[in-house]
């Protein structure tokens, strides 16, 4: 009995050391709501949708202290539909994020795997008062289809220097014919201090194929928000140059990785522009101890011959029932011009029409 007690004491001590040096956390979000869409070619659509405000997901993240300010880390994150219980991308497991890396308090963080692009992090965390969710998601008009996440990516994030930080990403195309095919390079630099948060991001994607040198898609995004206490103001400007630089969020992705327009309305959708820009102005306003009003206006200006412009107006309200649970409602309307084919979606789905209303509940753990 005495030997057993000594053994248990040693194991307990060893376990305590291991827990102090490393940790694994299970986290996630469960989000579902009622969505009503209007104006599309298929008429009115009413449905129960998953991931309206934030994509429903479950994930695992861990760190291990390696000493001397160095630590190992990993993230594995899978998306799913609350409405039907299926994976949001069939045939995949950790389709949202899957990466491993090393982090130094003095030298920064280097991660390898499937990750968000610097451009998309700027859109979601700095530019959009809806945080790319709800009916007012900036993804409805900003060209996020091919710029959200990239596989086979090396990402470096610098430490914070007096409010300044930067990141650089390189995505391998992994094609035998040429290193350029499918290659993406992205970067951003930002400043965050007190009420001000500002960032500039850039992304370039090669359009080359095995037989053709086709140039690249180039996307710039500058964004800032400022907290006046009574309200937080947002502004963003994006510039998109080159073929595939302005692929809409509702585009159809083909088997070969190219994108096709979708005729969501009673006309043939205009081809995607190779020269366009986006501008966003918006605000969030706290209402009482737990409520937040969100509003934004976005304009897409197609400077190519088709001149397929679009405007989006959006308003929303979120009420925090607790630190982890909230309810919400939002509405957005898009005005398409010259056969532009943008649709009002939300965080997880692209939508079917030019107007949408949603109401739902979100819980994080």
């Amino acid at each position: 009995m005495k030997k057993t007690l000594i053994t248990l004491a040693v194991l307990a001590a060893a376990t305590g050391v291991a827990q102090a040096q490393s940790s694994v956390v299970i986290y996630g979000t469960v989000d579902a709501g009622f969505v009503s869409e209007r104006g599309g070619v298929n008429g009115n659509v009413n449905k129960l949708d998953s991931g309206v405000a934030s994509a429903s997901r479950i994930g695992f993240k861990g760190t291990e202290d390696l000493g001397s300010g160095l630590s190992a880390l990993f993230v594995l994150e899978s998306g799913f539909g609350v409405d039907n219980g299926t994976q949001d991308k069939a045939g995949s497991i950790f389709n949202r994020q899957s990466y491993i890396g090393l982090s130094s308090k003095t030298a920064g963080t280097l991660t390898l795997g499937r990750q968000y692009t610097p451009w998309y992090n700027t859109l979601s965390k700095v530019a959009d008062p809806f945080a790319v969710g709800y009916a007012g998601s900036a993804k409805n008009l900003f060209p996020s289809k091919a710029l959200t996440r990239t596989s086979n990516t090396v990402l470096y994030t610098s430490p914070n220097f007096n409010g300044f930080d930067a990141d650089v990403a390189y995505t391998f195309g992994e094609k035998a014919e040429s290193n350029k095919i499918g290659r993406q390079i992205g970067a951003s630099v930002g400043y965050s201090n007190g009420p001000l948060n500002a960032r500039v991001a850039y992304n370039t994607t090669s359009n080359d194929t095995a037989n053709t040198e086709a140039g690249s898609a180039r996307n710039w995004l500058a964004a800032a928000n400022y907290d006046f206490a009574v309200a937080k103001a947002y502004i963003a400007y994006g510039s998109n140059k080159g073929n595939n630089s302005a692929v809409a969020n509702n585009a159809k992705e083909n088997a070969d990785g190219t994108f096709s327009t979708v005729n969501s309305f009673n006309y043939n959708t205009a081809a995607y522009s190779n020269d366009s820009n986006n501008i966003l102005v918006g605000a969030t306003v706290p209402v009482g101890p737990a409520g937040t009003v969100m509003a934004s206006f976005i304009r897409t200006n197609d400077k190519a011959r088709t001149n397929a412009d679009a405007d989006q107006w959006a308003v929303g309200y979120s009420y925090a029932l607790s630190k982890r649970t909230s309810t919400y409602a939002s509405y957005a309307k898009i005005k398409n011009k010259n056969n532009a084919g943008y649709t009002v979606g939300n965080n997880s789905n692209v939508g079917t029409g030019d107007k949408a209303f949603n109401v739902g509940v979100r819980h994080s753990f």
Side-chain angles (χ1 to χ4, degrees), residues 12-365:
T15 302
V17 172
Q19 289 177 343
Q21 292 180 340
S22 63
S23 66
V24 176
V25 175
I26 301 174
Y27 68 94
T29 298
V30 183
D31 181 312
F34 167 76
V35 174
S36 180
E37 298 170 344
R38 300 289 185 269
V41 67
N42 295 321
N44 298 338
V45 177
N46 298 312
K47 58 186 177 181
L48 184 66
D49 217 350
S50 175
V52 176
S54 300
S56 297
R57 73 200 74 173
I58 185 168
F60 307 85
K61 58 184 176 182
T63 60
E64 181 185 12
D65 187 353
L66 302 176
S68 302
L70 183 67
S71 60
L73 60 94
F74 77 88
V75 169
L76 299 171
E77 187 176 284
S78 178
F80 61 88
V82 178
D83 53 336
N84 53 26
T86 61
Q87 292 176 306
D88 62 0
K89 187 174 182 180
S92 65
I93 300 178
F94 300 114
N95 58 295
R96 289 184 56 81
Q97 297 185 85
S98 57
Y99 62 81
I100 188 169
L102 296 172
S103 180
S104 167
K105 293 180 180 179
T106 56
T109 302
L110 185 71
T111 49
L112 315 173
R114 180 168 174 79
Q115 306 173 68
Y116 288 106
T117 68
W119 186 95
Y120 185 79
N121 280 331
T122 302
L123 181 70
S124 61
K125 296 179 180 180
V126 184
D128 189 5
F130 289 88
V132 297
Y134 310 93
S137 171
K139 293 193 294 184
N140 294 339
L141 290 189
F142 278 78
S144 63
K145 182 72 174 183
L147 297 174
T148 301
R149 305 177 192 88
T150 50
S151 301
N152 311 311
T153 297
V154 180
L155 173 67
Y156 169 75
T157 303
S158 76
N160 189 293
F161 298 104
N162 298 319
F164 289 94
D165 71 285
D167 48 17
V168 179
Y170 183 93
T171 297
F172 291 87
E174 298 191 348
K175 301 296 183 182
E177 298 89 346
S178 170
N179 291 329
K180 288 185 178 181
I181 300 174
R183 183 183 67 184
Q184 287 196 40
I185 301 173
S188 72
V189 60
Y191 177 77
S192 181
N193 190 13
L196 175 64
N197 187 8
R199 200 162 196 90
V200 176
Y202 175 73
N203 195 91
T204 179
T205 305
S206 172
N207 289 319
D208 286 358
T209 67
N211 302 314
T212 307
E213 290 188 7
S216 61
R218 304 172 302 282
N219 300 90
W220 283 95
L221 178 61
N225 60 66
Y226 192 93
D227 193 347
F228 294 95
V230 294
K232 181 182 286 190
Y234 294 76
I235 187 168
Y237 175 82
S239 175
N240 317 298
K241 304 281 188 179
N243 291 333
N244 298 313
S245 64
V247 175
N249 197 40
N250 61 5
K252 177 184 177 182
E253 186 170 0
N254 303 312
D256 61 357
T258 60
F259 298 95
S260 302
T261 59
V262 175
N263 295 322
S264 300
F265 305 98
N266 290 311
Y267 52 78
N268 292 324
T269 300
Y272 298 131
S273 176
N274 58 10
D275 185 4
S276 66
N277 58 47
N278 313 94
I279 187 168
L280 178 153
V281 291
T284 59
V285 180
V287 180
T292 302
V293 171
M294 303 161 282
S296 70
F297 169 75
I298 305 173
R299 169 162 290 172
T300 290
N301 178 24
D302 177 9
K303 297 190 289 183
R305 183 177 299 178
T306 53
N307 196 29
D309 301 339
D311 296 339
Q312 174 178 284
W313 294 90
V315 63
Y317 177 75
S318 174
Y319 184 84
L321 299 171
S322 70
K323 290 183 178 180
R324 298 188 175 193
T325 304
S326 62
T327 58
Y328 56 81
S330 63
Y331 174 82
K333 179 179 181 180
I334 288 177
K335 182 179 180 181
N336 286 302
K337 306 173 185 178
N338 299 322
N339 289 353
Y342 298 97
T343 51
V344 178
N346 51 58
N347 186 282
S348 301
N349 294 291
V350 300
T352 63
D354 57 9
K355 297 176 285 291
F357 167 78
N358 48 61
V359 58
V361 60
R362 172 178 57 186
H363 174 77
S364 297
F365 60 90

